[in-house]
Amino acid sequence: MRIRPGLRIIWVSSLFVSPMPSRATAHSDLRQAFTELLDRHRGIVVKVAASYCRHPDDRSELAQEIAAQLWRAFPGYDASRSFSTWAYRIALNVAISDLRGRTHRQPTLPLDEQPDIADPHATDPERERQVRLLYAFIAQLKPLDRALMLLYLDERPHREIAEILGISESNVSTKIGRLKQRIRGEL
Amino acid sequence: MELDQMKLAWQSLEQRLERQTTLSHHLFNEDRARRARSTLHPLLWGQAVQLAVGIGLAMFFARFWIGHAGQPLPMVSGLLLHLWSVALVVSAGVQLVLLARAHYAQPLLVLQKTLALLRRWRTRWTPWLGVAFWVLWAAVAEVLFRSASGRDLPTDWLLANLLIGGIGIVVTVGLFRWLHSPARAHWGEWVDRENAGRSINRAQALLDEIERFERE
């Protein structure tokens, strides 16, 4: 029997826990492994959802959908590979598909009307202005450029960005160079 | 804003988002995860059924027109319906291949291009399978009448219906174009949504956008 690397540890450990591992036990172990990983990488889901939805309700809805689709795809995850790369691919694909699939989007809110993003107790008005500018800049990018910007801001290595987007590393370098120029010009 | 400042701004935005998510809800919702399935699932089943129906019809109409070789009216009617059934099979086959290639865990450009191709196929080509029935229904009537009575439908009747069908096609195409003019874009979107997902222009725009992103 061939077992995917991602499931091998769970399967082997379940053999020690119980001589006849039930389907329910395996499922519960899988879920536990997933929730632990999701918890460790929740920032990916949250940031992607925030980058593709400006309305709090849409954002929350999208974050839940991304988590659900990650769980759905989790049995196919290869544990020998980076979880963050895999999670980013799914999260960005779900977000872009969701963005393109929605025809009647809720109107976007200005940043200062978003209690979860604007900080009412901000002590540094300059930083607040920068957050505002950055969020507005991200929002006006096209979906694929937005993905690149998000990965760049997250300081992901070029190799990982290339794997997530499906382009060459040299293409990533070129695009990031252009993005930096654009940021300098517009922000 | 300098790039370093921008990254600091991003970090503070990230912290706020993390705080908000932790306070408001858990990301992993048991009920939602149970219900999670690909939005393409119904399409997959629909196309599998279309493929099976198309193969059945293609075999039926092939036997019909081969059995009536030398008798112009039933042979042409059967042959047209056979070709339509083959088109139905090809359309379902193309969509199933594209659907089989679509997974969320794929690189962004690969999946988004596959979805855009699927959208373009569904908006550009599949509507013609329906439009063709303006004239093909006369062929269906001929095949059924011939099978039931062993006689052909009156030629005048068939010609009159072909003429009406031809006018129907022209009106349908004209109406479709009229609805998709910029002034009536919302009506066009509604028609597309009801019939084939998204508009041809939008599907093509997505493909162009992906191509531009790859090239630049």
Side-chain angles (χ1 to χ4, degrees):
Chain A
M1 181 170 74
R2 288 194 65 194
I3 303 171
R4 270 187 290 269
L7 304 176
R8 195 171 292 145
I9 299 166
I10 296 161
W11 183 70
V12 171
S13 63
S14 69
L15 286 177
F16 289 102
V17 173
S18 157
M20 288 286 285
S22 67
R23 213 171 148 182
T25 312
H27 181 268
S28 146
D29 287 346
L30 192 68
R31 202 186 62 189
Q32 195 184 337
F34 173 74
T35 42
E36 277 169 17
L37 277 169
L38 182 66
D39 232 36
R40 217 178 306 151
H41 296 273
R42 62 189 300 121
I44 294 175
V45 179
V46 172
K47 282 178 282 184
V48 170
S51 303
Y52 285 86
C53 291
R54 296 198 71 177
H55 198 284
D57 291 345
D58 283 346
R59 204 156 55 225
S60 167
E61 185 77 10
L62 180 58
Q64 298 269 335
E65 180 61 17
I66 291 170
Q69 292 297 344
L70 283 168
W71 166 242
R72 189 172 170 267
F74 190 58
Y77 164 61
D78 178 351
S80 66
R81 303 184 75 116
S82 155
F83 181 81
S84 64
T85 306
W86 178 82
Y88 257 119
R89 272 184 182 176
I90 293 181
L92 288 166
N93 269 323
V94 172
I96 293 174
S97 304
D98 175 81
L99 187 71
R100 287 176 170 161
R102 282 188 207 199
T103 46
H104 301 295
R105 297 187 64 76
Q106 298 193 43
T108 55
L109 295 176
L111 190 68
D112 46 8
E113 284 178 29
Q114 296 188 14
D116 46 346
I117 286 185
D119 187 353
H121 310 296
T123 50
D124 184 349
E126 180 54 20
R127 173 60 45 78
E128 196 62 14
R129 190 186 69 86
Q130 288 170 350
V131 169
R132 228 173 263 247
L133 276 173
L134 179 63
Y135 200 61
F137 178 75
I138 292 172
Q140 49 97 32
L141 290 173
K142 285 183 177 161
L144 291 169
D145 291 319
R146 213 179 296 182
L148 179 73
M149 176 77 176
L150 181 60
L151 295 166
Y152 165 68
L153 287 171
D154 246 10
E155 298 184 319
R156 295 279 146 186
H158 285 197
R159 183 190 48 76
E160 194 182 341
I161 298 179
E163 268 186 58
I164 293 167
L165 296 178
I167 55 177
S168 66
E169 273 187 66
S170 59
N171 202 348
V172 170
S173 305
T174 313
K175 282 184 184 306
I176 287 182
R178 288 204 186 120
L179 190 63
K180 281 181 188 169
Q181 276 179 354
R182 195 171 158 191
I183 291 165
R184 284 201 184 96
E186 291 184 33
L187 290 181
Chain B
M1 196 192 312
E2 288 304 313
L3 292 172
D4 288 345
Q5 290 175 317
M6 190 190 66
K7 286 194 174 167
L8 284 172
W10 174 248
Q11 279 162 17
S12 69
L13 183 61
E14 190 181 328
Q15 282 159 10
R16 289 178 205 181
L17 290 165
E18 288 256 22
R19 200 169 52 229
Q20 184 268 333
T21 314
T22 313
L23 290 174
S24 65
H25 62 275
H26 296 291
L27 277 179
F28 186 69
N29 179 316
E30 194 81 44
D31 186 46
R32 181 153 193 150
R34 213 174 12 250
R35 284 184 286 119
R37 63 194 179 104
S38 168
T39 48
L40 298 172
H41 235 80
L43 186 59
L44 188 75
W45 281 107
Q47 294 311 307
V49 170
Q50 184 178 311
L51 185 76
V53 170
I55 290 171
L57 288 175
M59 284 164 64
F60 173 80
F61 290 121
R63 281 182 59 185
F64 182 86
W65 75 260
I66 290 167
H68 292 83
Q71 299 165 305
L73 216 51
M75 192 186 81
V76 170
S77 299
L79 191 59
L80 285 174
L81 290 168
H82 175 71
L83 291 174
W84 181 85
S85 308
V86 171
L88 196 68
V89 171
V90 169
S91 175
V94 167
Q95 290 181 65
L96 284 171
V97 167
L98 290 172
L99 284 165
R101 279 164 44 187
H103 300 289
Y104 279 133
Q106 284 177 314
L108 261 65
L109 288 194
V110 176
L111 177 70
Q112 297 305 322
K113 193 184 277 181
T114 305
L115 293 179
L117 285 171
L118 180 65
R119 197 169 286 163
R120 188 172 66 174
W121 182 269
R122 286 181 60 74
T123 50
R124 182 171 289 180
W125 302 114
T126 57
W128 290 105
L129 290 171
V131 172
F133 254 84
W134 271 108
V135 288
L136 284 182
W137 82 276
V140 173
E142 164 63 18
V143 168
L144 291 176
F145 192 74
R146 179 84 191 194
S147 302
S149 68
R151 289 183 291 123
D152 288 332
L153 283 167
T155 312
D156 292 350
W157 185 88
L158 277 173
L159 286 174
N161 280 286
L162 284 177
L163 184 68
I164 293 169
I167 294 168
I169 288 176
V170 171
V171 170
T172 304
V173 172
L175 189 66
F176 187 82
R177 286 193 174 170
W178 183 76
L179 283 172
H180 283 78
S181 63
R184 285 163 289 272
H186 60 291
W187 284 107
E189 277 285 321
W190 180 79
V191 171
D192 290 331
R193 214 165 41 243
E194 294 301 307
N195 292 297
R198 307 275 164 244
S199 74
I200 298 167
N201 291 343
R202 205 165 155 202
Q204 191 56 52
L206 293 181
L207 280 168
D208 293 345
E209 187 188 320
I210 292 166
E211 202 181 304
R212 206 164 40 243
F213 187 83
E214 275 181 306
R215 206 179 46 237
E216 280 174 357

